[in-house]
Amino acid sequence: MLDRTTVLADTARILDIDVDELDPSVSLVDQGLDSVRLMALVEQWRSAGVEVDFVDLASAPDLEQWIALLTRG
């Protein structure tokens, strides 16, 4: 299971920005996320044992939605 801090840190790293530069109110696509970067995140999280679906994340490219999806119990 992921926590909020990990989701933010991993997302910032894949976008090559500081966590403080992430804007949860702006689509991650508008912040530089593309399908290749998204797939890299999905594979990283799957390798860590998290059940995550590319389509679920791609259809809701918003940090708050991702956090809700990835940290649910």
Side-chain angles (χ1 to χ4, degrees):
M1 190 58 50
L2 295 172
D3 61 21
R4 180 183 184 88
T5 303
T6 303
V7 172
L8 292 173
D10 290 348
T11 303
R13 181 191 48 73
I14 205 78
L15 294 174
D16 198 27
I17 61 175
D18 291 330
V19 171
D20 297 341
E21 294 178 64
L22 285 172
D23 187 342
S25 66
V26 175
S27 166
L28 287 166
V29 172
D30 293 338
Q31 296 183 72
L33 184 71
D34 57 26
S35 60
V36 173
R37 290 177 177 171
L38 177 54
M39 184 51 79
L41 280 174
V42 167
E43 290 305 316
Q44 175 184 338
W45 292 333
R46 283 181 181 162
S47 294
V50 178
E51 289 187 33
V52 58
D53 184 69
F54 177 88
V55 174
D56 289 343
L57 296 182
S59 62
D62 167 296
L63 275 173
E64 292 305 324
Q65 291 177 6
W66 278 18
I67 291 166
L69 182 67
L70 294 167
T71 63
R72 68 176 180 229

